[in-house]
Amino acid sequence: MIYIPTLHSFAMNNVFTGSEGNLRFRIVPKVVKLPGSKEVDMENSSIEAEYWYGKLCYEKSTVEGKEIFPMSDAGRTALQEWLDGKQTLPFGEGGPRSGG
């Protein structure tokens, strides 16, 4: 199972990158503050995740998929399941690439 940080980490506007085998991913929070406050508006905030395969970093890779999830416990769980599913796709269907 791929590790995903806590919602608090995303609410603090922290970007998270990670890998599992040949799968690489980047998770970027889109934080919305409550009007006139420093508090995070969790209902209107979201988490955007992108993934790619290979050994190269984000800037030198071609992103193969992107999805936006709500910034909630259910959204975090859905994000984790979505990324976990990217590890098991068969070769040739957006799944792991061989190195040569």
Side-chain angles (χ1 to χ4, degrees), residues 5-23:
T6 63
L7 289 178
H8 178 75
S9 179
F10 292 124
M12 296 295 105
N13 228 5
N14 292 312
V15 174
F16 181 74
T17 59
S19 64
E20 182 72 31
N22 211 25
L23 173 68

Side-chain angles (χ1 to χ4, degrees), residues 3-76:
Y3 170 77
I4 304 293
T6 63
L7 289 178
H8 178 75
S9 179
F10 292 124
M12 296 295 105
N13 228 5
N14 292 312
V15 174
F16 181 74
T17 59
S19 64
E20 182 72 31
N22 211 25
L23 173 68
R24 307 286 182 258
F25 57 91
R26 181 173 185 254
I27 305 170
V28 179
K30 305 295 182 194
V31 176
V32 176
K33 301 282 185 175
L34 290 168
S37 172
K38 293 182 180 180
E39 296 293 316
V40 176
D41 181 350
M42 297 297 272
E43 283 189 27
N44 290 308
S45 295
S46 60
I47 307 168
E48 180 179 288
E50 299 173 291
Y51 74 93
W52 65 98
Y53 297 98
K55 297 178 182 178
L56 300 178
C57 65
Y58 177 80
E59 291 81 8
K60 296 188 180 227
S61 297
T62 300
V63 171
E64 297 198 26
K66 177 166 59 170
E67 191 76 32
I68 298 174
F69 300 89
M71 194 176 293
S72 65
D73 288 328
R76 183 179 173 275

